[in-house]
Amino acid sequence: MKNEEMLRTENLTFEYIRRDEEGNVEGITKAVDQVNLDVKRGEFIAVLGHNGSGKSTLAKHFNALLYPTEGAVWVDGMNTLEDSHLWDIRQNAGMIFQNPDNQIIGQVVEEDVGFGPENMGVPTQEIWQRVEESLKAVGMYEYRKASPNHLSGGQKQRVSIAGVIAMHPKCIIMDEPTAALTKRESEELYKITEKLRDEGASIIFISHRFEDMYRLASRVTVFRDSQYIGCYQVDEITNEELIKAMVGREIKDLFPKPDVEIGEEVLSVKHLSRVGYFKDVSFNVRKGEILGLTGLVGAGRTEVCETIFGLEKAEEGEIYLNGQKVRIQCPQDAMKLGIGYLPEDRQHQGLILDWEIGRNITLPIIDQFGSKIWLNEKKERELAKEQAERVDTKALTIFVKASALSGGNQQKVVVAKLLSADLKVLILDEPTKGVDVGAKAAIYKIMGDLAKSGYAIVMVSSEMPEILGMCDRISVMCDGRVTGELNCGEATQERILEH
Ligand code: ADP
Ligand code: MG
C-alpha cells in the first residue's frame, strides 16, 4: 500500500506571521488547519474552495516552498522537513501557477522549457530532447523560437506546463491553471492534463470553479475558510452537496429565486438578424421574469445582446418595448428607453478602473447632478453610496478606485451602476464569469431582488447550474439561431444540451 502513495499530509497546519511595515509581528493567520490528505500514484484529485480558503498554501507544501507549522508532509515517501530531500522533491512535484507570467523568464520559448533550474544535472543533449518532447506534448513545438512575450495567456500557460513536464515529475500540482484562460484554452489544458495522468503522473488540480473538475478528477477535496471540509468520491457527490460543502449553505440559498408574480411583456425581439452572427432571433421577457439565454460559446448570444443595446446594428428584425416598436441606434438610446446592459468583459467595457467606485456608479446619470464643470457632488455621492449598499459591495468607501476591488466586487459595482439609472430591462452577459462562489451567491441574490422589484432580466450564461437555478424560462441558441425554449419546470441539463 505504501508504494501506492504519492503525497500525504498528516495534521498539516500552517500559520502565516503577519508583519507591519517595520517588521513587527502584527498577528497570525492560520491558513490551513489539521489537513489529512493522501494522493495515490496516477490519481487525479481536485481541490476546491473559494478565494482565501487555503488551497495555495496547501499546494506550496507539496513543493517544499512552505514547511508545516504543525504536522508533516510526505512527497513520494520523503518528509519535506528533511533538507536532504529538497532536490528530489522539487524535481518530482512540479508546480504550475495561476499566472504563467511569473514562470516565464527566457527570451525564447525553448529556453523557458529547458533552462529551468530543475534540469541542471541532466546532460545537455537529453535536455534538448526533453524540451522537444514536452513542447510537442503541449502543442507548442512550432513556437519554440518565439518570444514568450508574444504569446497568449493560454500559450504561456502551456509553455510553463512544458517546463514542468520536461522534469518528468511523478506529480504535478496545478494551482488555478484555468483562471486566466479562455474556455477553449481550458479545454486544451484539460486534454494535456488527462494525458499526463494516463501516463502515470499524480495530479492535484486546484480551482475555485467547480465546473472545472467534473470530467477530470476521481476525488475532490473541499476547503472553506482555512478549514478542510472533506474529500469525496466525484461520482458519489452531487452538485448540490458539493456547493454546500464549498459555501456552507444549501443550494436553494445559493440560488435565491424568489416567487415573483410575472407581469406583462416588457421587451420583445422579433426576427432579429445580423449577417455572420445570428439569424431570425426572437424572444421576449416579462416584468419580474428572468429569461436565460444559453448555448455554446460562440452561438451568437453576446452579439444579440450588443445589438439590443445599440452597440451593433441588425440588418433585419424589430425590437418592441411595452408593445411599442423602438429604434435603438446607440447605447444612449437604449438607456433612455430603460434598457441596461452588463457586458461580459466588465474590466474593459463595464468600469473605468482608474475612477472611484462612486463615480463609476453614477456615470450613466451624471447629467442629473449638474453640468460637466459644476457637479452637485454631495447628491451624487449620496446616491452612489445608496446603490453600492444595495449590492453589498465590500469596499471601505465609495472613494476606493475600482481597480482595487476583487473581480466579484467589481461585478457588483457594474450592477450598482446599472441600478442608478432608472431601468426596466437588464441584460446580463455572463454575470458571474470568473468570480468565486461567495460573490456568485451575492450576485444571484441581487438578481432575485431585482426581479422581485419588477425588472425584466435577460441573463446570458454558459453555466448550467445558474441557468437552471435562476431562470423562469430558457432560450437555447446554437449557431446564431434560437433552437429551443424551455420553461423552468421542464428544463434539465440534458434537455438544454439536446437543443
Ligand atoms: P486560496 O489559494 O484558497 O485562495 P490562500 O492559501 O492563498 O488561499 O490563503 C489562505 C489564507 O492565508 C487567507 O486568509 C490569506 O489571506 C492568507 N495568506 C495567504 N498568503 C499569505 C501571506 N503571504 N501572508 C499572510 N497571510 C497570507
Ligand atoms: Mg490560491
Side-chain angles (χ1 to χ4, degrees), residues 21 28 46 67 108 118 144 158 178 185 249 256 263 279 320 354 366 368 383 460 485 492:
E21 280 160 15
I28 281 173
Y67 300 98
V108 293
E118 301 83 2
R144 65 192 177 281
R158 280 194 265 164
T178 56
E185 288 172 335
R249 267 174 280 175
K279 198 163 167 53
Y320 294 82
D354 269 351
I366 201 85
Q368 289 177 19
L383 184 94
V460 172
E485 195 182 290
T492 61

Side-chain angles (χ1 to χ4, degrees), residues 55-56 62 65 168 178 191 193 228 244 257 265 285 310 384 410 414 470 486:
K55 306 180 298 294
S56 296
F62 293 134
L65 291 170
H168 293 179
T178 56
K191 278 195 209 123
T193 324
Y228 169 68
K244 188 180 168 206
K257 179 86 185 58
E265 171 184 293
V285 54
Q410 282 181 352
V414 184
M470 287 307 293
L486 298 164

Side-chain angles (χ1 to χ4, degrees), residues 24-145:
N24 303 314
V25 175
E26 241 180 14
I28 281 173
T29 304
K30 198 177 265 191
V32 289
D33 192 8
Q34 301 283 330
V35 178
N36 289 290
L37 182 70
D38 65 286
V39 181
K40 299 198 174 44
R41 234 167 259 286
E43 194 181 18
F44 196 133
I45 85 150
V47 176
L48 270 184
H50 53 74
N51 292 336
S53 58
K55 306 180 298 294
S56 296
T57 306
L58 170 75
K60 286 173 187 157
H61 280 84
F62 293 134
N63 196 249
L65 291 170
L66 293 177
Y67 300 98
T69 310
E70 239 184 88
V73 177
W74 285 267
V75 176
D76 202 16
M78 296 173 280
N79 188 324
T80 59
L81 282 169
E82 286 174 32
D83 283 347
S84 57
H85 293 148
L86 183 63
W87 187 253
D88 268 345
I89 287 172
R90 292 265 163 91
Q91 185 120 38
N92 278 306
M95 278 281 260
I96 291 163
F97 296 93
Q98 172 169 348
N99 186 350
D101 286 340
N102 301 336
Q103 284 182 310
I104 297 214
I105 38 175
Q107 302 293 313
V108 293
V109 163
E110 59 183 5
E111 287 176 5
D112 262 307
V113 177
F115 294 160
E118 301 83 2
N119 289 329
M120 288 193 304
V122 180
T124 332
Q125 207 189 339
E126 198 186 328
I127 290 184
W128 291 113
Q129 218 169 339
R130 287 188 184 189
V131 169
E132 182 177 329
E133 157 203 297
S134 49
L135 278 173
K136 280 181 179 159
V138 299
M140 289 295 290
Y141 186 61
E142 57 186 295
Y143 292 93
R144 65 192 177 281
K145 301 286 181 201

Side-chain angles (χ1 to χ4, degrees), residues 144-398:
R144 65 192 177 281
K145 301 286 181 201
S147 156
N149 298 328
H150 296 142
L151 303 178
S152 74
Q155 290 173 325
K156 282 186 195 161
Q157 187 65 282
R158 280 194 265 164
V159 172
S160 73
I161 294 169
V164 170
I165 302 177
M167 290 153 44
H168 293 179
K170 293 181 184 154
C171 169
I172 300 175
I173 301 130
M174 309 175 110
D175 193 357
E176 310 240 14
T178 56
L181 304 190
T182 63
K183 224 168 177 123
R184 198 204 202 108
E185 288 172 335
S186 303
E187 294 290 333
E188 304 259 328
L189 177 66
Y190 298 151
K191 278 195 209 123
I192 296 169
T193 324
E194 262 175 316
K195 188 155 166 280
L196 291 171
R197 178 202 54 195
D198 293 345
E199 288 165 4
S202 307
I203 312 259
I204 312 246
F205 192 101
I206 298 174
S207 181
H208 70 256
R209 312 197 330 216
F210 73 80
E211 303 81 15
D212 266 345
M213 40 79 51
Y214 277 102
R215 31 206 306 199
L216 299 169
S218 57
R219 284 191 297 157
V220 53
T221 297
V222 179
F223 282 85
R224 187 174 75 228
D225 302 332
S226 305
Q227 295 293 318
Y228 169 68
I229 304 297
C231 191
Y232 315 90
Q233 232 32 69
V234 167
D235 45 18
E236 286 170 10
I237 188 167
T238 62
N239 268 6
E240 285 80 2
E241 289 163 338
L242 200 55
I243 291 173
K244 188 180 168 206
M246 277 176 85
V247 293
R249 267 174 280 175
E250 295 285 343
I251 185 149
K252 62 175 181 347
D253 303 325
L254 178 66
F255 297 116
K257 179 86 185 58
D259 283 327
V260 174
E261 186 141 345
I262 293 180
E264 302 267 288
E265 171 184 293
V266 182
L267 174 77
S268 160
V269 172
K270 289 185 183 160
H271 313 296
L272 212 60
S273 298
R274 198 174 132 212
V275 175
Y277 293 94
F278 51 85
K279 198 163 167 53
D280 198 17
V281 170
S282 301
F283 60 81
N284 68 355
V285 54
R286 294 166 290 178
K287 191 171 178 204
E289 187 179 41
I290 302 179
L291 174 78
L293 203 54
T294 188
L296 300 174
V297 171
R301 301 163 310 170
T302 294
E303 289 75 12
V304 169
C305 298
E306 288 177 351
T307 307
I308 298 171
F309 193 60
L311 286 162
E312 299 291 343
K313 286 193 178 57
E315 276 103 22
E316 277 170 52
E318 294 113 42
I319 298 171
Y320 294 82
L321 206 67
N322 299 322
Q324 299 276 336
K325 189 170 162 181
V326 292
R327 256 167 73 90
I328 300 172
Q329 306 274 40
C330 60
Q332 284 76 10
D333 290 352
M335 292 289 275
K336 269 188 203 131
L337 289 164
I339 302 174
Y341 176 48
L342 179 89
E344 184 178 1
D345 179 7
R346 60 176 171 267
Q347 289 236 332
H348 295 107
Q349 296 177 19
L351 285 179
I352 301 177
L353 292 172
D354 269 351
W355 283 16
E356 297 164 3
I357 299 170
R359 186 49 65 75
N360 263 297
I361 292 177
T362 53
L363 178 66
I365 46 159
I366 201 85
D367 310 354
Q368 289 177 19
F369 302 106
S371 71
K372 283 208 172 65
I373 352 172
W374 196 253
L375 288 176
N376 182 343
E377 291 206 0
K378 187 158 171 282
K379 235 173 94 195
E380 184 197 352
R381 288 203 174 127
E382 272 166 16
L383 184 94
K385 192 155 176 290
E386 192 186 308
Q387 301 300 357
E389 275 163 13
R390 213 167 143 193
V391 297
D392 182 32
T393 305
K394 289 208 175 45
L396 296 177
T397 70
I398 52 167

